[in-house]
Structure formats: structure tokens, C-alpha cells
Amino acid sequence: MKKITFEDVIRTTEAPYPDFHLKPGRTALILIDMQKFVLGEHLVKAAVKAGLEERSVREVVKEYDERVKKATKNAQKVLNSCRKKGFDVVHVRMQGPSDNPRHTAKVNRKIGLIVPPKFEDGEFIDEVKPLSSELVITKTNGGALSGTNLDFILRNMDIDSLILVGFLTDQCVLATSIHAADLGYDVLIVEDACTTRSKTLHDAVLLAQKDVCAKIKSADEVVKIIEKI
Amino acid sequence: MKKITFEDVIRTTEAPYPDFHLKPGRTALILIDMQKFVLGEHLVKAAVKAGLEERSVREVVKEYDERVKKATKNAQKVLNSCRKKGFDVVHVRMQGPSDNPRHTAKVNRKIGLIVPPKFEDGEFIDEVKPLSSELVITKTNGGALSGTNLDFILRNMDIDSLILVGFLTDQCVLATSIHAADLGYDVLIVEDACTTRSKTLHDAVLLAQKDVCAKIKSADEVVKIIEKI
Amino acid sequence: MKKITFEDVIRTTEAPYPDFHLKPGRTALILIDMQKFVLGEHLVKAAVKAGLEERSVREVVKEYDERVKKATKNAQKVLNSCRKKGFDVVHVRMQGPSDNPRHTAKVNRKIGLIVPPKFEDGEFIDEVKPLSSELVITKTNGGALSGTNLDFILRNMDIDSLILVGFLTDQCVLATSIHAADLGYDVLIVEDACTTRSKTLHDAVLLAQKDVCAKIKSADEVVKIIEKI
Amino acid sequence: MKKITFEDVIRTTEAPYPDFHLKPGRTALILIDMQKFVLGEHLVKAAVKAGLEERSVREVVKEYDERVKKATKNAQKVLNSCRKKGFDVVHVRMQGPSDNPRHTAKVNRKIGLIVPPKFEDGEFIDEVKPLSSELVITKTNGGALSGTNLDFILRNMDIDSLILVGFLTDQCVLATSIHAADLGYDVLIVEDACTTRSKTLHDAVLLAQKDVCAKIKSADEVVKIIEKI
């Protein structure tokens, strides 16, 4: 006889979050903070500038940087297949409307995370750059739906479901996915098209959302689904 | 020579989230979903009703139930000290405005989490019941700030900082704290006055927020701070 | 040859707001502040209590009171036909969550408009009382969509269009209709199921919205449309 | 003995909206839709292009155009005095993020009011052009607070009161002022620094708000107050 688990008990009070259909015109791909300052190279520059020794910095940053690059490649795959099928694509980026710190949200101002409009490493990562027809949304806080008019635009476009990729899994991606689910969107997070500083935290926050308020799939799974549409 | 860590590198790009003052009239204590259905006893009832064997259920629920009870005791301590000093207290609970599933947010409707107005286990846990002068906010989704007018009320009360306690750390508490931080509130999560189904997830989501968008303190630390006010 | 008017010129830059279909499950009837304190009788009570002479008060209130009563009858007609066809019905009322003025929105607190939970004249007007299955939304400010979770509930119900009736045309009804249009809802205001203190202002604010951001129709026209569904 | 008026009766139930202080750092000047397409010249161009006879068009547009120009001069006066005293200034404009109509809010899409990013007459009117340090907020709907992140930015700047100028009094200015009041901002509308297509509607919507949810003052009055700060 199979042993009862805590999960079995929970399942008597809640059903798993159901799967949903991806539909051009109704589903949007949201790329979150896929900017150069997320790359390891930016961290190296900043750390060296602050006086840390370059070789040691490169060493501790390496594993993270590889994860970011791999996630970017996966996001690019999903982006390409979405573009092919005519899905709406929205690029969200962290960027202040001016150099004035008062124009940056308090949450980021508190930790000194001010991204001026002309900050070089604020540019989109090459692999996932927006086309001129695609929406670009600028924010100075974490969640893409709380400090912007993204929700307003999406609902005016009759978008009801979101595919999320980008950085960082446990910060801006998490804030966006939880808020999106709360607002009523169907949410699909592409697990290997996101990452964060700690692999453990990446896994943990995806597990916390999995089948509770989001579907979690790999880039390959998502591309396969989209190609069949 | 001290070895450089990844954390050292990050700290060259972001400062830690600063500490802030708790002030009656400006800081509110928010108790999240501290309702009887979170207790182990409710899970036992539901599971037994669904045909699972009671003894085994009690066994797998035990550790969770103890954490919930401990968190409740700690929330009660914080609540008492907040009341003594005249802090605003808001009790948020999960409850539909009617039995009609359409009146429950999609996010919870999808997983069958409908809490009718007269659901017995929807009552507040005895230790942390609201006084008649305290606000009670009802929601049918996760985050207390996205599906309610709580943010509206708080800003109209000139509240700028929140102390958060309640359930579940990686779901409604997380959704509320991230959103609160994004909106500009100073956020303090009382780590041992919250819990969730998995101790690992509890720890992980607190770590993800710690010094990034929230301060994390124990109930004893918070009570000590409040008593000095 | 017909003389060119300013209206003709405007019509070369903007088309008239198009008509739209009313559909059960997609359209909701929103009754705004149809509470006893809007009736002339409440004004008489308040004015007499404040020392004004009753007969004179009744005289100056009479014309207004008749308009309120007529609008109520018309709202009732629309309500009945909506109920018959299974439209969602939402009753919005002005009411504080407690007697504490801090729990009332600043906008109303500033003018001393605090409606305590047990205020007798805060009850719904008899002709348009909610059924137990209908949603009741409580607010302490003007617009029904800015200080409540009404928009959240409506979008989670897949409502995309609103029929508005109630009081006062140039205050809470206006605030609600403009905001609803901005959020993307199709808006229909039932012109003779609303009124305000001044007939001139009633007419003016409806004219300002007509064919710009709302359709304006009479109760009889609306009932006729609904009956054909 | 003075005859009782309806206004006297109302004043026994509601106090007049109180005056408030303008304070640099707390009060922002919001210029709404002060763009070239509001000028008479744009209407003339559009009407002539649509086949109307130019001389007649100029004639019917003349009175409106004069009001727009006068309001612009008055807005400029207020703008200059605000700049001198270090008030935050925000320029709100109507402009789509792309030529794609789906990226424009439904409310404007319905009436064909799409303003592409490079639309020439979408530029700010010369007299009230933004400085590079001033915020520019883009919207595709009416109210400046519902389809943008303006409220988010203002609250993160600790702004609690607004001075409103711009176009059109009974549309975007009205939508913004009512919403601002509802959100808790103190609102001051500069009556002769706004206008709309009909002088009657301009007067009516200001009267509807006067001392209920906004203070209404002339540009000269406002400049005098600001100069004393």
C-alpha cells in the first residue's frame, strides 16, 4: 500500500493549476529585464571598478554567467517561435525615465539600483533585442505589472495569458508571475529561460509557484507546443 | 586574505535594503490569512472526508501543524505589542463575497479554492482574532494588495510601512510583500510569525527577499523594537 | 448649402463612440450609491437638525427629490429587465468599514462625508435593493472603480461592458463611467436612471461623455434592447 | 430674512473641500495633452483634408482656438512660476507606443483617436515644452492616472497634491482630476489654463468639481500663491 504524503493531503483541498492553451492574439510573450547588466561581464566590471581582484571575481561569477547565457539562448528559441506564429511580444526593461533618483521607484532607490536612460549596460542583450514593432516597457521597480502600465496595455489588447522568460527568477520574474496570476492571467514560466544568482533559489521559487499559480515548462516543451499551433 | 564571494560581487552593484523605523500612524501590522483552514486540523478533516486514513494523515500533517501553531503564537505576540502602542492593524482573510464561483478570482477558481462566506474553517484563528475597531479585508486571490482595496485604504491612512505576518510564506505572504515593496512601502516580514507547507520553501522565499526588498526579523526582535517606541 | 458647424470639424478627427451589444455574462449592471441618504427626505432631516426651517427646506428640496424618485423608478425598470435575462448585477454603496474617519478615503474625509456602517440612511433605497445573490461593493470615495476591488472582480468575471445607473450623475456616476471607459469597458449610461443636484450639471456631464467615451440612452430604450436578447 | 437655498441644505451634509498648501517636493504641476493637435490649426488641416471648405472651417474654429491659446499662455505662466520655485513638473501627452492600433487603449481606438509616435501635431505646444529634466508621460486614453504609471511615479516621489492645467477640461483634465481626488491627492485646477470645445461644458464640469473634490483658481491667483512660497 502506497504511503500517504503531505502532498496527497494538500491535493484533497486544492486541485493542480490547470494547463491552458497558448493562442496568438490572446497570449503574449513577456521578456523581463534581459539587459546587459544581468550578464556576468557587467558584474565583473562593477566589481573590478570597486577594487576587487578581477581573476577572483571572474571565478565566482562564472557559474552564474553560464546560467544567464543558457537562459538567454532558451529565451531566444521561445522568442523566435513566438514571432513565427504572430504572438505579441513585450520587452520589459529596467530603466529610469531620467537620471533623477526621485524618478526611480523607492524599492530600487533604497538599494541604489538606479538605471539612467543612457546607461550602456542597460541595453537589451543582443540575442533577444526587440523588433521595432514590438512593445518596450520601462520600469524602475521589480514586478513588470506594478510600476508600469503593462497590465493596462495587455488588457486593452485582450491578452489573457502570458509566457514569461528573463531575469531574475526570484525577483522581477517572480514578482511579475505572482502578480499576473493574481490579476487573472494564465501564466506559463519557461524554467530554463530564466535564472537567478542562486540555483537553489531559482528552483525554490519555481517550485512554490508550480501548479499553484503557474505552469512551469522547459523552452523545448514550449517551442514544441507553439510549433503545433 | 579573505576569499571573494559571489555575494561580495553583488554588493558592488546593490546596497542592502536599509532598516527603517516602525511608527504608530505610519506603520500597519498586516495579518494574512490567519484562518482556521490553515491549521492542520482542517487538512485532516478534508483528507479524511476524501477517504484518506486519519492516523496516517495526522502523522504527515503533524510537523506542519506545529509550525503553524508556533507562527500563530509569534504573530499574537507581535499583534499584542502593536495594539499596545496604537499601531493600525489589518486582518486580511480569504473569503468569497458569495457562494458563486464567478465572484472568486480566477487564480483561486482554477485550483478550486473557493471559500464561501459562511465556511466554518474560514474564521480567524482564535489567538489573532480582530477587535471590532480593526480593519478586516476580504480577498479571493493570493496577494493582499492586488485583489482588494487594501493599498487604497493604507495610502489614504498615510501608512508607508508594513509589518507582515501570516500564511503561507511562499504564497499569500510572498505575493503581498513583493507587491508592497514594489508600491513603495517599507516591508518587514516577521520570519517566525509566518510559515508554509515546506520549511525549505519558507526559508528560500525569505532569503530571496532578505535585504533586497524587505527586512526579515524574528517576532522577539520586532516586539523588542516596538516596546521601545 | 448646409452651414459647417464646429461639430462637423471635430467629426473629421474623431468618429462617434460606437454602439455595442449588451450580453448576459459579459455586461454588468452597476447601481451606484442608490442609498436613502440621496433622497430628499434625508436632506430635510439633516437641514432641520442643523436648524433650518422645515417648510422652506422641503420647498427647495422638492424638485430634486422628484428627480431622484423618478430616476429610481427608471433604475428599477432596468434592474428588473437585467435580472430577468440573467445579467450580473452589482450594487455599489458609500459606506465606511468602521466609524474611524481614517478608514474613509481622504477625498470624502475632507468634506466630512463619513458614512458609518450602521448609518440608517445608508441603506439601499427599497425599489432597488440587492438580492442575496448579487454583489455589494462598499466604497468611501467617489468613483466605484478607484477605491474598491470592483474592477478586479469584473475582469475576473469576464465582464467587458457596463450599464450604469444611480447617483449623482456629475459625481460618483461620472467618476465611474469615465474610469470604466478608460479601463476599456464599453459604457452605457441610462440618462433618466441617474440624476444630480442640478439638472443643468446632469445634462452637461452626460453631453460631455456622449459619443466620446459612453453611449447615453433612456431607461425605456435600454429595457427594449434587453427584452430582445 | 435670507431665503434658504438648495445650496444651504447641501451644506448641512457636506463641508466645502478645504484649501491646501502648495509645496515644492510635495506638489506637482501636471500639464495634460498640451499638444499641437489641440490647436485650431490642426482642426483646420484635418477638416480641409476631409473636404470641408477652409474659410468656413476657420470661422467656426476661431473662438475655440482663441480659448486654447489663452489657456496655453496661462499654463505657461503657472509653469514658469512652478519652475522658479522648484516644483516637480510632469508633461502628459497622448501618444501611442507604436503605429499598431492594438497598442492604443480601447477607449480611443473606438473613436479612431490613434496618435502614432511620429505624428507631427503630437508635439508639445512651444510655450509649454518640457525641459530635459522634466518627466514626460505618454498615454493612449483619457485620464492621465488610469492608463499610465503616473500615480506610481508620483507616490514614489512623495507627491500628495497636484496642480492641473491643459486640455480638454471636460475630457482628459476631468478624468485626471476626478481620479486624482479619488486616489487621495489634493487637486487644484487652474480654470483659465484649461479649456475645451464648448465654453458651457468647460464651466459645467469645473462647477461640478468645485469645492466637492477640487479647488478651482485662476492662473493669476495660483501664480500669486506660488510666488509667496
Side-chain angles (χ1 to χ4, degrees), chain D residues 79-100:
Chain D
L79 174 60
N80 287 341
S81 72
C82 281
R83 281 175 175 163
K84 238 178 276 171
K85 295 289 180 174
F87 282 86
D88 290 292
V89 173
V90 183
H91 302 260
V92 179
R93 80 170 144 201
M94 191 93 83
Q95 187 183 79
S98 79
D99 297 1
N100 187 342

Side-chain angles (χ1 to χ4, degrees), chain A residues 133-184:
Chain A
S133 61
E134 291 168 353
L135 278 173
V136 173
I137 298 282
T138 291
K139 70 184 171 74
T140 64
N141 67 309
L145 292 157
S146 52
T148 70
N149 67 348
L150 178 57
D151 177 46
F152 178 81
I153 293 185
L154 294 175
R155 64 192 287 190
N156 272 280
M157 292 166 73
D158 290 321
I159 295 297
D160 61 16
S161 42
L162 306 180
I163 305 170
L164 301 183
V165 301
F167 310 117
L168 302 174
T169 320
D170 63 336
Q171 297 186 19
C172 299
V173 176
L174 172 67
T176 305
S177 62
I178 288 194
H179 197 176
D182 263 351
L183 290 171

Side-chain angles (χ1 to χ4, degrees), chain A residues 88 102 106 109 156-157, chain D residues 88 102 109 156-157:
Chain A
D88 290 292
R102 293 187 79 217
K106 286 180 182 180
R109 206 190 306 160
N156 272 280
M157 292 166 73
Chain D
D88 290 292
R102 293 186 79 215
R109 206 190 305 160
N156 272 280
M157 293 165 73

